[in-house]
Amino acid sequence: MSADVVDEAVPPVTVIECPTRLDFSYTPGVAQSRFLRALERGEITGQRCPKCKKVYVPPRGACSMCGVATEEELVLSGKGTITTFCTTQIPSPGLVPPYVTAWIRLDGSDITSMFLIQECDPAEVRLGMRVEAVWVEEADRKADLGNISYFRPIDEPDAEYETYKDYV
Amino acid sequence: MKTDVLTAPHSIEYTYTRSTGPMIGAFMTGLRDGKIIGVRGADGRVHVPAIDYDPVTSEDLSELVEVADTGVVTTWSWNDQPRSGQPLEHPFAWALVRWDGADTAMLVAVDCGDASTISTGAKVKARWADERTGTIHDLCCCELQS
Ligand SMILES: [Zn+2]
């Protein structure tokens, strides 16, 4: 293609695409590796701080408040309570709007985690709503948080505000 | 507690769509046409790539100047292990090249085999992409000129 032809035929450049890519090799460490292996078995695990007794999910191997190692491991039920949520109206890869993401306090955990809420009208989602994890088929499970497809409502009365007020 | 510690590839990628503004736009349009475009500054020096504002007086610049696609290496360093996304897959030099007709130098890859062949003051010539689209990749790299 000749430069002269391009000169005539194509408008000047006013916009450029500038992709930025960073490739990491990620190592989650001992505590979170155990957590991911548990997910592969279909279990959500946490670790309890020996000092303040708070339960971390996912476990970090140490309590950031007390500065001590967390070794006691426990398996959670996979049920929890919505403490905060957001309804998104714009599309995102793989998600059809409107969809709801929520911070969930898993039963037995002292920290909240963010998950997608499905099988439910977004207008029905509320603080205190009781939900449970929906897992991918057993054959498709990996050591990956993607094993939990989403959370869905369960037929239980809403949690009392007192039980999650510190997590809103 | 004994555990196998996991590891996995993890990539973060953002695509920015950037407005070029009139001067970088002219530079990119020039690359698409196989030309290197600079701009004349308030003191008469030619800056390449073209820039919007004079680096000394801050005034708006607008006098575009085409420079040659041959130039001189003003400094360089050797890249022995190129990473993905870099201009060449085999070892090459990163060099500041002052194009003939320009007063400033810009960063360009120089494809010159091994580090013993390049030196400050070496003459180089641009190698252009076969299909040019108006990005910095239109100017693949430079080759040494004997
Ligand atoms: Zn603690």
Side-chain angles (χ1 to χ4, degrees), chain A residues 20-32:
Chain A
T20 300
R21 184 183 170 93
L22 297 169
D23 291 310
F24 296 91
S25 178
Y26 179 71
T27 296
V30 172
Q32 290 197 73

Side-chain angles (χ1 to χ4, degrees), chain B residues 64-109:
Chain B
L64 296 172
V65 178
E66 182 182 348
V67 298
D69 71 349
T70 55
V72 173
V73 171
T74 65
T75 188
W76 59 278
S77 72
W78 192 249
N79 180 10
D80 206 34
Q81 291 176 304
R83 307 185 61 167
S84 78
Q86 292 191 334
L88 296 165
E89 288 177 6
H90 52 265
F92 66 91
W94 282 118
L96 287 178
V97 169
R98 189 176 62 232
W99 305 107
D100 297 330
D103 294 289
T104 62
M106 64 177 258
L107 188 70
V108 186

Side-chain angles (χ1 to χ4, degrees), chain A residues 49 51-53 56 63 65-66 68:
Chain A
C49 171
K51 212 166 158 193
C52 69
K53 306 297 179 194
Y56 284 80
C63 175
M65 299 305 287
C66 307
V68 296

Side-chain angles (χ1 to χ4, degrees), chain B residues 25-69:
Chain B
F27 175 74
M28 293 296 173
T29 306
L31 292 181
R32 194 178 61 196
D33 297 343
K35 298 171 183 169
I36 298 170
I37 303 293
V39 69
R40 192 175 306 281
D43 56 4
R45 291 188 302 149
V46 174
H47 301 273
V48 179
I51 50 177
D52 291 281
Y53 305 105
D54 189 87
V56 180
T57 66
S58 307
E59 66 195 86
D60 280 0
L61 299 179
S62 60
E63 187 190 338
L64 296 172
V65 178
E66 182 182 348
V67 298
D69 71 349

Side-chain angles (χ1 to χ4, degrees), chain A residues 4 14 26 28 32 61 66 71 83 115 135 138 142 159-160 162:
Chain A
D4 296 338
T14 56
Y26 179 71
Q32 290 197 73
C66 307
E71 292 189 345
T83 66
F115 287 100
W135 295 75
E138 209 165 327
K142 295 187 287 257
E160 290 294 334
E162 284 297 308

